[in-house]
Amino acid sequence: MNNSNIEKVIPVFAAAFALVYIVSVEMNWALFTYHPKIHQWGWLVEPSRDGPPMYWYGWLVTSMLGASAASLISLPAPEKPAHAILAWMGRSAPRDHQRLLPLPRLVYALMKVGRCERLLGRGYKNTEMII
Amino acid sequence: MSTFLVILHGLLAVALLGSITHRAVAVVWPARSKAGFVNAYRSVSSRVYVNANIVMFLLVAALGAYIYPIYRVWVRTYLENARLFPAVGSFEIKEQFIAIGLGMLPLYWLAWNRTEPSANSARRTVTLIFCFIVCFGFLVGHILNNIRGFFGL
């Protein structure tokens, strides 16, 4: 990896780490759980075995992996930030940056799925209450 | 052993706090001459501190992570029983800040390894964020370490 790649990847890593960490904490996406009282580790999020479970280590590793993945994805991205932002937003980006267009589409699709699930969840709860 | 590690964690944190505060002052309020104590304090070359700060941050965070389970099992339950929820919440915020700081370490290194004047604002911002994280972490850790004395428990 040359210097320009490192200079491109590090800011992405830092920003992605913070974002993934916030999401990991909010959604509790811990890659593993530590049970400090019995000194045991478990994969993903586990309920308490004995004493309080700890997710912080898991959140850190999730964020590290997520940020590393985002950094790798950003490697072929264009140099100039303005172009990158335009490309990311899916607007009038130069032709060689068009390959980034699927990203906003994917985000939009995920948001749509999330919204549908939330609506379905609410509907289910309401039905349950009526029953 | 855990008492020794907590003291070591605290001592390293003091060193890191001194170093990062010194650096933040030099970045925000630089001085050219070294005449007098205040000017000498402000005129330190901030680049010299970069690697030392990174290593110390990693060491303090690693030690903190190692002794964290003791806090979680014994200290936090005690604080919750004593209904000292602001103290528990402060520690929760501290752990989030430290995690964000860990993720920002490469950016901190990069900002100080670039020589362009245009990176000045990035250097200043990242250094101040780190200074805030370290100060907050130190204060919260120090208060929690002495919480029985603070609240007369």
Side-chain angles (χ1 to χ4, degrees):
Chain A
M1 196 182 277
N2 58 29
N3 271 351
S4 72
N5 277 345
I6 289 172
E7 287 188 2
K8 195 168 27 170
V9 157
I10 285 178
V12 173
F13 180 89
F17 188 96
L19 284 174
V20 177
Y21 183 78
I22 290 166
V23 174
S24 304
V25 174
E26 284 298 316
M27 312 290 285
N28 200 8
W29 287 345
L31 202 65
F32 49 82
T33 307
Y34 180 58
H35 304 274
K37 206 171 179 184
I38 47 176
H39 307 290
Q40 283 182 3
W41 297 86
W43 282 110
L44 301 175
V45 176
E46 285 188 352
S48 170
R49 288 183 194 170
D50 185 14
M54 289 178 72
Y55 304 116
W56 188 66
Y57 306 113
W59 294 335
L60 278 182
V61 176
T62 307
S63 315
M64 191 86 73
L65 291 176
S68 303
S71 308
L72 283 177
I73 291 167
S74 77
L75 265 179
E79 286 283 328
K80 290 183 182 174
H83 284 173
I85 291 165
L86 280 174
W88 188 81
M89 288 170 76
R91 296 226 179 118
S92 54
R95 187 166 286 175
D96 57 334
H97 307 326
Q98 294 289 328
R99 60 190 162 186
L100 286 172
L101 282 174
L103 189 61
R105 285 187 194 140
L106 178 70
V107 172
Y108 179 69
L110 286 173
M111 282 166 66
K112 215 170 170 184
V113 168
R115 205 175 301 145
C116 286
E117 272 183 1
R118 230 177 298 148
L119 285 173
L120 282 172
R122 204 172 295 153
Y124 175 71
K125 273 180 196 159
N126 288 343
T127 320
E128 201 176 45
M129 278 169 71
I130 291 164
I131 290 167
Chain B
M1 184 64 180
S2 54
T3 310
F4 169 74
L5 289 176
V6 170
I7 291 171
L8 187 64
H9 177 65
L11 287 174
L12 281 170
V14 169
L16 175 62
L17 182 74
S19 170
I20 198 90
T21 315
H22 201 168
R23 204 178 147 75
V25 170
V27 165
V28 175
W29 195 28
R32 285 180 191 275
S33 79
K34 289 195 175 186
F37 173 76
V38 177
N39 280 340
Y41 189 85
R42 288 163 48 200
S43 64
V44 68
S45 163
S46 295
R47 272 177 215 284
V48 178
Y49 286 73
V50 178
N51 291 340
N53 277 342
I54 291 173
V55 171
M56 274 199 289
F57 192 92
L58 281 173
L59 273 176
V60 175
L63 256 177
Y66 185 72
I67 54 179
Y68 188 16
I70 301 164
Y71 165 83
R72 184 65 188 87
V73 175
W74 305 110
V75 182
R76 189 171 146 173
T77 36
Y78 174 81
L79 294 175
E80 283 169 349
N81 288 337
R83 304 188 65 76
L84 292 171
F85 298 117
V88 177
S90 307
F91 191 88
E92 297 287 309
I93 296 171
K94 175 189 167 174
E95 75 172 14
Q96 319 304 0
F97 279 150
I98 299 297
I100 301 288
L102 280 171
M104 274 178 61
L105 279 179
L107 186 67
Y108 180 65
W109 174 84
L110 178 72
W112 281 99
N113 272 283
R114 290 185 70 161
T115 48
E116 300 96 325
S118 58
N120 273 344
S121 59
R123 278 194 276 275
R124 194 177 303 135
T125 310
V126 174
T127 308
L128 287 178
I129 290 173
F130 263 103
C131 186
F132 171 76
I133 289 174
V134 171
C135 289
F136 185 85
F138 181 82
L139 277 175
V140 169
H142 191 60
I143 289 171
L144 282 182
N145 196 36
N146 302 303
I147 199 147
R148 294 176 77 175
F150 269 115
F151 291 93
L153 299 168

